[in-house]
Amino acid sequence: MANSMGVFRSVFSDFKASALSLATFSILSKFVVASLSIPAVALFLRSLVSMPVKSKSGSWEFFEYSGSFPDLVLVMIIVFLWLVGFLVEQSGLLIIASGKVRGSVPKIREVLFKVLRTAPRIVGLSSFLAGVYTFCFVPLLTVFAFITRKITDSGNGEYPSFFTGFFGWLLAAVSLLILIRLMLSWLFAMHFGLLCRKKFLKALGSSRKLVKGNRMRLAHILGRFWLLTVTILLVFSFAFRWGRELMISYSREPTSFNIFRLSLFASAETVFVTVIWIIVAGLFSILVTRLFHELVSENRFEGLEKTGVSSVKESTIQKRPWILFLIGLFAFQATYFDYYGKLMVESEVDLPLVTAHRGSSLKAPENTMSAIIQAVHDGADIIEIDVQLTSDGHVVLNHDRTLSKVAGVSKSVPEMTLEEIKAIDVGRRFSRNFAGERIATLEEVIEYMSGVDTKIKLNIELKDYEKTPSIVQAVLDILEKHEFTQRTIITSTSRVRLAAVRESNPAIQIGLIVTYITKDLWSLDVDFYSVSSTILNETFMIRARSYGRDVHVWTVNDTDSMMRYTSLGVSSIITDRPETLSQLLIRKAQLSIFQRRVLAVLSS
């Protein structure tokens, strides 16, 4: 057998000559395998994971390997499906590679005929190989998960397990050696099964016989190939990870914009990695096929057909080529509309806007400038504030009927002038660090908001308790004066107030705050519903969507609920913890297409 450098030069030369055919078949096979494997993984997840899917599927973190039996089975299924997909893809690639080694690259149509004709043999052999490899992989997986937990200091540190002790490491080492030996021994099983038409067990035996005496040379060549491949993938993986972290750490944009950029970044990363894998799969198929033909020639191994792909007898598909067209059409619709189409829909549904409830009200006094400024820093897309009207006609921020909660003053805002209100300290009760904080006016808020990112909006709740009808015009006058209507939505529990806003300025979006459901709810002229988390359910979401109306949910502060409502498809989550929600959504924006698709199936 030729030296490794000579082999690699020949491989690259063959790859350049057959790159188009290799890439075409690889892409087609990935489409079909993805359309079948992703729903399969989601189906197993539904049956294996002992937790409410709706409440946990908003984050990929619940798929992290913890060492439990369900996790073990889940990972084995994923590894198995990936290996089957890879081996099925390799079956077509090795036919192309074999044709190139013999002097002529077969047409894609011929390759498809061969693969379809021998599909049962391919799937059976692939499933057997994948099953054995997956079983050997389990001890390695457990040790790898343990090392990862130690490095990242995640979870509870060391957890008691047989696999984390001395015998576990010994078992992992033995499994690795067995895995390497089996992979080398059965390296050419697919070649014998396809090119030589050998049956299941004979293909395995013929491969083992051909490899015997050449294991070290094969290990040396293949080891160099995969070492280089893994190194390249790791370098680019760390580069993308560093790029994401840099993007977020220096960003001063609201969460929705960061999510958009991260989604584009994740898509670019997925496309890049897919392209790399297509190239690697093609190179690997040519490398192994060239080694196969060289060993067959050296050992005068009988049984390899000289006519190759062209010797396949005319099949039903060849007699009726329209069948192939129908198969291709089915694969296209299954992958595009179910995979990418569902992904695009879920991307919109799964990533709601972050609304800071009364500003960032767990970090600063509610409805104050400090809370609003903090909400901007926390990545809020929308800042929700409550407004009331003073006795002298000024719009100020406050939620309750009186100032007792924020300042210990029993008077209400409509009973006081702006001068009296400005004399009150609303920060000391929250924290000494905010001593001297004053009640803000709507104009002060808008003046500040005019200087921050224009993508950040205000949700102004009219909280006058039906006492000051003139509050509607007072708010609209301020918005129009500062040309801020495009960045404002107005909400209220009062249908009268919302109707007045609609009549005065139809361009402003209005939302009804829903605390209980009434029969006439759906007939109201509003753009969206702001619904209490205590009554929001999937039935309400379906009904709201049928009327073309968005749904905002309040007030959601725990991460489990954030994930649940994210999966439910709300347009905005109103929270006292905008930074927490922002970080959760940003993590989700970094998911791969495969992970998002599984989550989409789980939450459907």
Side-chain angles (χ1 to χ4, degrees), residues 25 60 137 171 216 283 350 433 438 447 466 500 540 552:
F25 182 83
W60 189 254
F137 184 69
L171 179 60
M216 292 306 297
L283 289 171
D350 280 349
N433 296 331
R438 305 300 169 181
E447 286 173 1
E466 305 284 353
F540 188 99
H552 301 199

Side-chain angles (χ1 to χ4, degrees), residues 21 25 28 91-93 95-96 99-100 104-118 122 194-195 307-315 317-318 324:
S21 297
F25 182 83
L28 287 174
S91 67
L93 297 181
I95 294 174
I96 298 172
K100 180 63 186 74
S104 63
V105 178
K107 295 180 180 180
I108 292 297
R109 180 181 174 182
E110 293 176 329
V111 177
L112 290 173
F113 290 154
K114 178 74 172 180
V115 171
L116 290 172
R117 184 179 177 83
T118 57
I122 293 173
L194 284 175
L195 303 180
T307 53
V309 177
S310 59
S311 67
V312 179
K313 295 180 180 179
E314 189 174 39
S315 64
I317 296 176
Q318 286 172 298
L324 188 61

Side-chain angles (χ1 to χ4, degrees), residues 408-479:
V409 176
S410 59
K411 288 185 177 182
S412 65
V413 168
E415 296 174 339
M416 305 173 69
T417 65
L418 178 62
E419 183 179 359
E420 291 173 328
I421 286 176
K422 280 294 186 181
I424 298 174
D425 184 343
V426 292
R428 185 177 294 276
R429 275 199 160 213
F430 183 87
S431 169
R432 291 181 181 179
N433 296 331
F434 293 94
E437 185 84 36
R438 305 300 169 181
I439 291 178
T441 66
L442 179 58
E443 288 207 70
E444 289 171 343
V445 173
I446 292 178
E447 286 173 1
Y448 166 74
M449 293 291 293
S450 298
V452 301
D453 196 296
T454 57
K455 292 181 284 293
I456 304 175
K457 294 185 176 182
L458 270 183
N459 177 346
I460 300 176
E461 181 181 347
L462 305 178
K463 201 72 175 179
D464 71 318
Y465 299 97
E466 305 284 353
K467 292 183 177 180
T468 53
S470 58
I471 190 173
V472 172
Q473 195 57 50
V475 169
L476 293 178
D477 288 343
I478 293 171
L479 295 176

Side-chain angles (χ1 to χ4, degrees), residues 227-238:
L227 179 61
L228 178 60
T229 299
V230 172
T231 301
I232 292 173
L233 288 173
L234 286 176
V235 167
F236 280 104
S237 175
F238 282 116

Side-chain angles (χ1 to χ4, degrees), residues 66-231:
S66 64
S68 64
F69 178 75
D71 281 348
L72 180 63
V73 175
L74 170 61
V75 173
M76 289 180 68
I77 291 170
I78 293 175
V79 172
F80 173 78
L81 290 175
W82 182 86
L83 283 170
V84 169
F86 178 76
L87 291 169
V88 168
E89 178 184 351
Q90 281 291 307
S91 67
L93 297 181
L94 69 86
I95 294 174
I96 298 172
S98 182
K100 180 63 186 74
V101 171
R102 295 180 181 188
S104 63
V105 178
K107 295 180 180 180
I108 292 297
R109 180 181 174 182
E110 293 176 329
V111 177
L112 290 173
F113 290 154
K114 178 74 172 180
V115 171
L116 290 172
R117 184 179 177 83
T118 57
R121 188 181 304 160
I122 293 173
V123 174
L125 187 55
S126 299
S127 300
F128 174 79
L129 293 174
V132 175
Y133 295 158
T134 302
F135 182 78
C136 295
F137 184 69
V138 171
L140 299 172
L141 173 69
T142 309
V143 170
F144 174 77
F146 174 74
I147 294 173
T148 302
R149 288 165 63 92
K150 291 286 288 183
I151 293 175
T152 60
D153 196 27
S154 61
N156 299 318
E158 295 189 24
Y159 51 92
S161 169
F162 167 81
F163 292 103
T164 60
F166 171 77
F167 290 104
W169 284 83
L170 181 62
L171 179 60
V174 172
S175 297
L176 178 61
L177 293 175
I178 293 174
L179 183 63
I180 293 173
R181 184 177 179 85
L182 288 178
M183 292 179 74
L184 283 174
S185 296
W186 295 338
L187 182 63
F188 304 119
M190 297 294 289
H191 292 76
F192 281 106
L194 284 175
L195 303 180
C196 304
R197 299 183 186 178
K198 288 184 178 291
K199 294 184 179 179
F200 188 90
L201 293 177
K202 288 186 177 180
L204 296 175
S206 296
S207 176
R208 186 170 59 252
K209 181 179 178 182
L210 185 61
V211 170
K212 187 177 181 181
N214 295 284
R215 285 195 179 90
M216 292 306 297
R217 287 192 293 173
L218 290 172
H220 173 71
I221 293 173
L222 295 175
R224 293 182 63 180
F225 175 84
W226 284 113
L227 179 61
L228 178 60
T229 299
V230 172
T231 301

